[in-house]
């Protein structure tokens, strides 16, 4: 691969750009709605120049580090310029993105692959981007077909410079179902947790447990609102599981039922060991 294009130069897009720039011989072009970020990325040597429509055909791969609706809009608008190129999105939900863009890609003879790099920080924006953000971390992809070994090899080659530790293949529905549990619910729980009236008095009392649970409460409300609504069916199912479980703990506390409370705690501890390993 000689040239990669990146749309969206925030935390994810900026980190992708810096990761590719580590590899000699790869040129990186980028674009962002905020043109000042494009100029800053040039100064920081994260990109070699701005990705324009005229440069699209010179790219081996284009990564879209933007919101789901923006992914759909960008690919739909640029479809006629993308023949022969592999386009990979990095949005947090895959259902509607893949359903709408797989047919467009087929009709215009380019490859669209749903993608989700599984790494991030509680900070956002290009200034927090790092070249090693994805080193050793998982990348989930949703290809248009699941029996094309050559396609998987090609995608793996295109993503290799980023440093992912593992690339997993799944369907859009499975991705969105799992991500509702593994990412979206933790963000909601964290964000709701810090609304306790006790929160302002935590300093001097809190340690690792507080930091772990509250870390992702500081989120981008615009992005997460779109992601939650895009995935509301799976997310509401996880909400119901969580509320049902939480009510059992509350009832045991309210009734002073130590036996039941211990059973619940032991059960949760057992499940954690089973799903994560020792």
């Amino acid at each position: 691969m000689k040239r990669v294009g990146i749309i969206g130069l925030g935390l994810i897009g900026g980190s992708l750009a810096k990761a590719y720039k580590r590899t000699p011989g790869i040129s990186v072009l980028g674009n962002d709605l905020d043109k000042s970020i494009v100029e800053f990325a040039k100064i920081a040597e994260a990109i070699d120049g701005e990705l324009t429509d005229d440069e699209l055909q010179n790219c081996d791969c284009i990564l879209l580090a933007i919101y789901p609706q923006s992914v759909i809009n960008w690919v739909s608008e640029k479809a006629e310029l993308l023949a022969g190129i592999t386009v990979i999105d990095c949005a947090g939900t895959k259902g509607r993105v893949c359903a709408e863009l797989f047919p467009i890609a087929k009709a215009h003879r380019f490859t669209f692959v749903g993608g989700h790099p599984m790494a991030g920080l509680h900070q956002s924006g290009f200034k927090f981007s790092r070249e090693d953000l994805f080193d050793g971390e998982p990348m989930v992809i949703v290809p248009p077909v699941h029996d094309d070994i050559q396609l998987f090899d090609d995608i793996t080659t295109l993503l290799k410079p980023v440093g992912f530790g593992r690339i997993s293949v799944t369907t859009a529905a499975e991705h969105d179902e799992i991500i509702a549990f593994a990412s979206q619910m933790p963000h909601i729980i964290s964000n709701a947790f810090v609304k306790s009236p006790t929160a302002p008095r935590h300093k001097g009392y809190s340690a690792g447990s507080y930091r772990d649970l509250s870390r992702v409460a500081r989120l981008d409300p615009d992005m997460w609102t779109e992601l939650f609504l895009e995935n509301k069916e799976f997310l509401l199912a996880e909400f119901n599981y969580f509320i049902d479980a939480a009510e059992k703990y509350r009832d045991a506390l309210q009734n002073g039922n130590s036996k039941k409370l211990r059973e619940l705690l032991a059960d949760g501890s057992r499940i954690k060991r089973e799903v994560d390993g020792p």
Side-chain angles (χ1 to χ4, degrees), residues 155-202:
I155 294 168
T156 301
T157 298
L158 291 170
L159 293 174
K160 185 177 180 179
V162 182
F164 293 113
R166 176 181 179 183
I167 296 178
S168 301
V169 180
T170 187
T171 64
E174 184 177 39
H175 169 276
D176 288 356
E177 181 181 17
I178 295 175
I179 220 68
F181 166 77
S183 176
Q184 294 181 343
M185 273 302 292
H187 278 80
I188 288 180
I189 292 169
S190 181
N191 194 263
F193 169 69
V194 297
K195 293 179 180 178
S196 166
T198 312
R201 297 185 284 126
H202 80 85

Side-chain angles (χ1 to χ4, degrees), residues 1 11 27 29 71 77 92 130 137 155 158-159 172 175 179 198 206 216 260 269 271 273:
M1 181 172 61
L11 173 67
S27 175
L29 300 179
V71 169
E77 291 168 5
R130 322 187 316 229
E137 301 295 345
I155 294 168
L158 291 170
L159 293 174
H175 169 276
I179 220 68
T198 312
S206 58
V216 293
K260 181 62 176 178
S269 181
I271 291 172
R273 289 193 298 272

